[in-house]
Amino acid sequence: MPEPISPKAETGNGVPLVEMRGISKAYPGCLANDSIDLKLHSGGVHALLGENGAGKSTLVKILYGLLASDSGEIHWQGEPVHISSPAVARELGIAMVFQHFSLFDSLNVLENIALGMDVDADDALEQRISDVSTRYGLPLDPRRSVYSLSVGERQRIEIVRCLLQDPRLLIMDEPTSVLTPAEVSELFATLKRLAEEGMAILYISHKLEEIRQLCDEATILRLGRKVAEADPRAESARSLASLMMGSEVPLMQAKRQADVGEVLLALDELSLPAVDNHDIALKNLHLQVRAGQIVGIAGVAGNGQDELLQALSGERRLAQAEALTLCGEAVGRQGAALRRQKGLCCVPEERLGHAAVPSLSLSENAFLTAHHRKSLGFSWFTSASRSRRFAREIIERFNVQCHGPQSLASSLSGGNLQKFIVGREILQAPRVLVVSQPTWGVDAGAALAIHEALRELADQGAAVLMISQDLDELMQNCEYIGALCAGRLSDFHRVQDITVQQVGLLMGGEQLSGVEA
Amino acid sequence: MIALQRRADPSRLMGYLAPLLALGITLLAGLMLFAILGVPVGAAFYAFFIEPVSSLYGWAELGVKAAPLIIIAVALSIGFRAQVWNIGAEGQLILGGITGAAVALMFHQNDGWYVLPLMVLAGIAGGMAWAAIPALLKTRFNVNEILTSLMLTYVAVLLLSWLVSGPMRDPDGFNFPESRMFHDAALLPRILEGTRLHAGAMVAVGVVLAGWILLTRTLLGFALRVNGAAPRAGAHAGFSQPKLIWTALMIGGGCAGLAGLFEVAGPIGQLLPSISPGYGFTAIIVAFLGRLHPVGVLFAGLIMALSYLGGESAQITLSLPLAVTGVFQGMLLFFLLATDVLINYRVVFK
C-alpha cells in the first residue's frame, strides 16, 4: 500500500517533483521499457520524445497507474510511492490528458466534467469551470453540447477537467495531433502559463518543432531505452531526430512538377449525403489531379476525410457517374472492385480493419486488394503461392520488418504494416493513388520511406492525392494544397505560394484573397 | 494465485487441443453426474459410449445420425465464418423435408428415375426459400438474422404439423397425422445391406470436401472470411456485403433443406409431425466444436451423433431420461466455450 502522503507537501529546491528510477516493463515478445530513468521538476515543461513503439506510452501509463511496472521505483517529492491505480495518481496530484478523449457526445460540457470527477453538475461547478477557463485562456461554454464542439474545444474540456483537480503534474499525450495551427499556438500559451505558475508538465510527442518551441528539457527514448537527455532549445530538429532514430536523417526535398500531365482524377460537383449523424456530408467538391502530381488535402480529422476516401474508393457509390472521372471515364456509379481494376487504388487511414484484416496473414492481405491487378488467382480460385510471392515482393521492396508472408497483419507494428499496405497499392502500378493519413502514427524512418515511394510513383506518371492532418508532410511532398472543412473543399494553391498559416485559415473554412489559385 | 495472461499470438496448438480438452471435461462431468444420480459409473460409461458402436449396425446408425449434422454444420460454418448467424437451420431442414416430400407424394404412382433427383432439388429449394426470408430482411431492412431465422423455425414446425394433419395426410392412414409411406423410387438407396445407412452419408463426405475447397481455395470463400473478420476491409476490397449475406444464407438453407429431405427419404420414409431430433440446432454446436472447419466438423459430427445414440442406449439399458443427450450436448458446448479462452490466454501460476 502507498504511504499516506499529503499531495500538497512542499518541494524543497532541487528535489524533483517526480523521479522514476530504473523502470522496466516487458510484454510477451518485447521489452517496452528497459530500466528507464525520468526526472520532472515543478515549473518545467519536459518532453518525452520517441518514435512509435519507443515505449513512451508504456512509461506514462506506469506513471499514471494504468500499468504496473515489472521493476523500478517512483519517488514523489523524494519519497517512494506505489501508484497502483489512476485514483492513486490523481490523489497525488497527477492528471493526464489522453490522445483519445472520453466524452459523451449527447451531454453538455458541464455534465461531462461532472461525470469525470464524480460530482454533481451544479452551479458551483459551473462557476469553477468558468473561473478556470478564463484564467488560463481556455474559452469554454459549460452549457454547450459536446457534439457541437470542434476537436480543439473537446480537448479544452479534458484540460479543464484536469485543471479542476489542482494537479501538480499534467501529462499531455500527443495533444496537437488533432489541432489546427491556430489551436496549437493557443494550447502552447496555456501550457507555458501553467508552467510559470509552478506546474510540472510532461509533454509526449514525436513532433520535433513543437518540442523545440515549448519544452525546456527532453528525455529521448528509443526501442524501450532512454538514449539521451537533451535541451531541446539547444538542439536542432535534425539533431533531435537523429537521437530519436539512432541514425543520421537524410533531408528530403521534393522536386516540383509542372502542370503538364493529363488529368487522371477529376471530381466535379461531387456530393455525398450523410447516412447518420456521425457522418459528414460532402458538398460539391471540385478537384483535378494530373499525372505526375501529388495534390494534398489538409484538414482537421472529422471534416469529411473518411467520407471522401470512401466516395473515391467506391465503397460508397455516387449518385452521378460524372461526379468522378478516372482517366477520362465517368466512374461515379461503379463499385470499389471495378474502380480498382481501372487503376484507382486507395490507402484508407485505418490500417487494421479497413486497409487490412488483422487476423489474416500478410499474403492473404496482399491478395485482398491486389488479386485482380496482380492476377493472384485463377478466375474463381485463389493462388496461395502467387499471393505469397507478391507479399514477399512487398516485404523486400519496402523493407517491412516481419517474420514473413505468413505473419498476421495484427502482429506488425504500425509503421511496418503501413509500409506493407502502401507498398501493396504502389506495386499494383495504379494510375491514381489516394492515400489518407499515410504516416499517421508511423515512425520517422517509415514515414520517410513512404514519402519517397509516393514521390517515385508520381514521377512514374501516376496521380497521387494525399489526405493528411500533418501539414509538414503535405508542404514537403505536394505540388498543390487545399483543405477540407465541414465537407467542403477550399481552393487549391501552389505550395510555393502559400504559408502554413494560410493553410491553417483554409482548414478553418476561410478563403484566401490575393493568392493565385 | 492463478491468472490468465494474454498471449502475443493466438495459439494454434490450443486451437486444436481445446475441443479435445472440452471433450475430456465433458466426459468427467458427465460421469460425476451419473455418480450423483446413483447410476453405476462403469455401466453408464459403457452404455453411453461403447455399446452404441459395438456392432456394425451401431456404426451404420452413427453414420445415419452424423450425416445430417455434418451436412448442416459445414454449411453453417461457412456462414459463421462470414459472421452471418443463421440459427434457423432446423426450420430450413423442416422446409426441405416438406418440399421434398411434396414431390414424392405428387409422383407416388410414378417409378421414374427422376423422382429422387427432383425431390433433392425441391428439398434444397425449400430450405433456401426459408433462409431467403432472413436474407431479405437483413439486406433490405437490416433486421437481425439471429432473431428472424430462429423464429421462423417455430413457424416451420407448425407448418409441418398442419400439413401432416391436413393437406398431406395419408388418405388411408386412419386420420393419423402422417403422410403416405414413400414408394421405392422416392427412397434413398441404402449403401450397407441390413442397416439404415443411406446415400446421404456419402453426400456428407462430399459436402465436407466441397466446403473445405470453398473456404480455403476460392475467391468466394476468401470474401466470406474477410467479411467475417473485418467487414470494412471487405468493403474496401470491393466485396459486396449484401451478396455475401445472401450467399451464406443460401448455402446454409440449401444444405439444411437437403439434410431434411435425406431424413424423410432415408431413415423415416414418410412425412411425420416431427422429422428431426433437433439436428439443425445441434449442428450449431457441431460447427463450433469443429472449429468452423469442414474437416473438424466431420469429426465433431461423429461425436455428436454418438451423443444421440448414447442417450438412446442409456435410456434403454439404464432407464435414464432421454434428456441426458441434451445435457451432454449442452455441457460440451459450455466447456468448449470455456476452453477456447486458452487460445488467446495462457494460465500462469504466481
Side-chain angles (χ1 to χ4, degrees):
Chain A
M1 280 308 290
E3 301 274 305
I5 285 172
S6 157
K8 300 290 176 231
E10 274 307 311
T11 313
N13 269 351
V15 178
L17 179 68
V18 184
E19 186 174 2
M20 299 177 86
R21 286 187 203 153
I23 299 289
S24 293
K25 172 78 184 173
Y27 290 114
C30 97
L31 192 58
N33 282 175
D34 185 0
S35 177
I36 293 179
D37 298 330
L38 180 70
K39 273 186 210 168
L40 304 178
H41 294 274
S42 294
V45 184
H46 192 111
L48 189 58
L49 182 63
E51 296 189 288
N52 280 79
K56 293 172 299 190
S57 306
T58 304
L59 186 66
V60 169
K61 280 180 181 165
I62 289 168
L63 180 56
Y64 194 59
L66 284 165
L67 284 175
S69 61
D70 296 338
S71 62
E73 46 195 43
I74 302 176
H75 293 250
W76 179 260
Q77 297 175 343
E79 295 183 55
V81 285
H82 175 69
I83 303 176
S84 55
S85 75
V88 175
R90 280 194 294 266
E91 189 67 25
L92 288 171
I94 303 175
M96 180 162 175
V97 175
F98 290 89
Q99 196 176 356
H100 302 284
F101 311 144
S102 44
L103 297 171
F104 293 94
D105 274 357
S106 52
L107 300 182
N108 67 29
V109 173
L110 177 64
E111 289 162 337
N112 264 292
I113 291 178
L115 263 179
M117 295 175 59
D118 209 10
V119 294
D120 287 332
D122 53 15
D123 292 343
L125 183 64
E126 187 172 348
Q127 189 54 48
R128 286 177 66 202
I129 293 173
S130 345
D131 288 350
V132 168
S133 63
T134 46
R135 185 155 157 231
Y136 295 105
L138 296 161
L140 206 55
D141 175 359
R143 295 285 172 184
R144 277 275 292 277
S145 286
V146 167
Y147 70 82
S148 67
L149 301 179
S150 73
V151 184
E153 289 172 306
R154 289 172 197 223
Q155 188 180 54
R156 267 179 235 155
I157 305 178
E158 296 276 4
I159 297 174
V160 168
R161 178 147 81 184
C162 287
L163 294 184
L164 284 172
Q165 298 162 13
D166 262 333
R168 309 286 312 273
L169 167 64
L170 181 64
I171 306 172
M172 305 282 296
D173 188 5
E174 309 225 353
T176 59
S177 54
V178 291
L179 301 183
T180 63
E183 286 173 325
V184 169
S185 29
E186 284 172 28
L187 173 70
F188 283 8
T190 306
L191 292 179
K192 283 178 180 162
R193 175 98 195 263
L194 288 169
E196 278 163 20
E197 293 190 2
M199 195 180 287
I201 295 172
L202 180 60
Y203 188 90
I204 304 161
S205 182
H206 59 260
K207 293 190 181 168
L208 307 167
E209 277 306 330
E210 279 182 1
I211 283 171
R212 294 187 54 232
Q213 269 181 47
L214 179 71
C215 305
D216 34 40
E217 289 172 307
T219 295
I220 299 165
L221 303 186
R222 186 167 74 231
L223 299 172
R225 287 162 190 263
K226 174 170 142 185
V227 289
E229 258 177 59
D231 177 357
R233 288 171 185 163
E235 301 278 340
S236 69
R238 218 165 149 208
S239 64
L240 284 176
S242 54
L243 283 172
M244 187 164 93
M245 292 168 57
S247 59
E248 280 294 307
V249 189
L251 213 59
M252 187 157 119
Q253 200 55 58
K255 59 173 191 281
R256 310 289 178 191
Q257 292 278 327
D259 296 341
V260 287
E262 55 171 321
V263 175
L264 294 185
L265 180 75
L267 282 62
D268 182 25
E269 291 279 309
L270 185 151
S271 294
L272 190 72
V275 277
D276 58 46
N277 26 1
H278 301 291
D279 245 25
I280 305 289
L282 301 177
K283 299 169 199 114
N284 302 327
L285 309 188
H286 284 270
L287 174 64
Q288 290 190 338
V289 190
R290 291 172 186 275
Q293 274 185 344
I294 302 182
V295 170
I297 297 181
V300 176
N303 273 291
Q305 285 90 341
D306 211 27
E307 290 79 2
L308 177 60
L309 184 101
Q310 293 188 27
L312 294 176
S313 73
E315 281 163 71
R316 290 179 62 186
R317 294 174 202 220
L318 304 169
Q320 302 291 326
E322 295 76 28
L324 184 67
T325 315
L326 174 64
C327 309
E329 188 188 348
V331 296
R333 296 172 69 98
Q334 295 176 357
L338 207 51
R339 288 190 202 177
R340 188 174 290 110
Q341 286 175 25
K342 291 178 178 169
L344 172 65
C345 290
C346 292
V347 178
E349 172 184 353
E350 198 187 336
R351 287 185 278 271
L352 286 173
H354 196 185
V357 184
S359 57
L360 293 185
S361 69
L362 291 181
S363 63
E364 285 171 304
N365 271 300
F367 180 87
L368 181 69
T369 66
H371 63 268
H372 188 272
R373 291 186 73 81
K374 299 297 287 184
S375 310
L376 301 182
F378 319 93
S379 68
W380 287 26
F381 290 90
T382 61
S383 163
S385 60
R386 288 188 189 183
S387 303
R388 218 167 18 241
R389 208 174 309 140
F390 181 51
R392 201 168 287 136
E393 188 187 340
I394 301 171
I395 291 166
E396 279 163 19
R397 292 276 295 275
F398 288 83
N399 191 23
V400 178
Q401 304 295 316
C402 62
H403 293 303
Q406 76 288 352
S407 298
L408 297 185
S410 58
S411 70
L412 266 65
S413 72
N416 278 309
L417 185 59
Q418 186 71 2
K419 282 196 280 187
F420 183 84
I421 291 165
V422 171
R424 175 182 75 186
E425 304 303 327
I426 286 179
L427 290 183
Q428 292 179 50
R431 303 297 313 277
V432 177
L433 181 66
V434 181
V435 282
S436 182
Q437 320 297 357
T439 57
W440 171 254
V442 163
D443 59 68
L448 194 68
I450 289 169
H451 289 153
E452 272 172 2
L454 291 174
R455 187 73 257 166
E456 195 182 323
L457 180 72
D459 289 343
Q460 287 162 3
V464 178
L465 182 62
M466 188 189 283
I467 304 168
S468 177
Q469 294 182 55
D470 185 341
L471 280 185
D472 296 341
E473 168 174 76
L474 294 172
M475 298 300 273
Q476 245 177 50
N477 293 287
C478 301
E479 270 87 48
Y480 282 90
I481 190 165
L484 189 63
C485 178
R488 291 176 195 277
L489 269 183
S490 71
D491 290 336
F492 280 73
H493 300 271
R494 276 193 159 277
V495 166
Q496 299 95 307
D497 306 336
I498 191 168
T499 62
V500 171
Q501 284 69 31
Q502 285 171 317
V503 178
L505 290 178
L506 295 178
M507 287 162 69
E510 307 198 18
Q511 294 297 333
L512 302 184
S513 48
V515 180
E516 201 60 28
Chain B
M1 198 179 74
I2 305 171
L4 287 175
Q5 188 185 55
R6 199 167 179 89
R7 293 178 195 269
D9 289 315
S11 158
R12 271 193 103 97
L13 178 70
M14 271 302 160
Y16 297 112
L17 277 186
L20 298 177
L21 200 57
L23 263 175
I25 301 173
T26 306
L27 199 62
L28 278 179
L31 294 178
M32 272 167 59
L33 184 74
F34 287 141
I36 292 167
L37 287 175
V39 180
V41 170
F45 182 81
Y46 182 82
F48 212 92
F49 297 103
I50 309 294
E51 204 264 348
V53 287
S54 56
S55 65
L56 183 65
Y57 183 82
W59 281 99
E61 279 299 298
L62 193 70
V64 171
K65 305 274 188 208
L69 287 177
I70 291 168
I71 292 172
I72 300 171
V74 167
L76 289 185
S77 302
I78 292 166
F80 292 165
R81 287 279 193 103
Q83 304 268 13
V84 176
W85 303 106
N86 176 9
I87 304 299
E90 182 77 2
Q92 293 142 22
L93 176 152
I94 291 171
L95 254 286
I98 291 173
T99 48
V103 172
L105 298 175
M106 230 163 21
F107 288 95
H108 80 273
Q109 286 165 320
N110 195 317
D111 284 335
W113 58 269
Y114 48 81
V115 174
L116 195 61
L118 271 182
M119 287 168 64
V120 166
L121 290 180
I124 293 172
M128 282 183 172
W130 213 238
I133 302 170
L136 185 76
L137 292 172
K138 172 82 177 180
T139 51
R140 270 293 157 80
F141 306 108
N142 200 24
V143 182
N144 189 323
E145 74 279 12
I146 298 177
L147 295 178
T148 48
S149 64
L150 177 64
M151 290 194 292
L152 279 168
T153 297
Y154 304 109
V155 179
V157 170
L158 294 173
L159 180 68
L160 172 63
S161 86
W162 171 67
L163 285 172
V164 291
S165 47
M168 291 169 90
R169 187 175 53 190
D170 184 355
D172 312 318
F174 310 104
N175 270 338
F176 278 105
E178 296 174 2
S179 79
R180 196 193 292 280
M181 295 293 292
F182 294 174
H183 57 303
D184 282 351
L187 289 174
L188 282 175
R190 303 230 163 133
I191 53 177
L192 203 60
E193 208 50 50
T195 70
R196 304 198 299 162
L197 192 66
H198 55 79
M202 273 144 64
V203 174
V205 176
V207 167
V208 168
L209 284 175
W212 192 7
I213 291 168
L214 176 79
L215 274 178
T216 56
R217 297 276 182 277
T218 68
L219 185 58
L220 174 63
F222 181 78
L224 286 163
R225 285 190 288 138
V226 168
N227 188 60
R232 293 190 68 210
H236 179 65
F239 304 140
S240 155
Q241 201 176 23
K243 267 188 209 162
L244 292 175
I245 291 170
W246 270 98
T247 309
L249 277 159
M250 288 304 98
I251 293 173
C255 285
L258 181 67
L261 175 272
F262 284 166
E263 282 309 292
V264 296
I268 302 178
Q270 67 182 136
L271 206 54
L272 297 177
S274 165
I275 59 171
S276 149
Y279 288 138
F281 292 122
T282 306
I284 299 170
I285 307 178
V286 172
F288 281 102
L289 188 63
R291 295 274 85 122
L292 304 183
H293 189 291
V295 177
V297 163
L298 179 68
F299 292 109
L302 290 168
I303 288 163
M304 283 312 239
L306 182 61
S307 78
Y308 277 114
L309 294 181
E312 285 172 10
S313 150
Q315 187 185 21
I316 295 164
T317 56
L318 299 170
S319 45
L320 283 170
L322 198 56
V324 168
T325 302
V327 171
F328 263 92
Q329 293 181 354
M331 283 196 301
L332 189 53
L333 181 63
F334 179 82
F335 289 128
L336 179 69
L337 293 175
T339 48
D340 268 0
V341 168
L342 297 174
I343 297 174
N344 286 314
Y345 292 85
R346 73 176 95 240
V347 180
V348 287
F349 299 93
K350 287 186 178 172

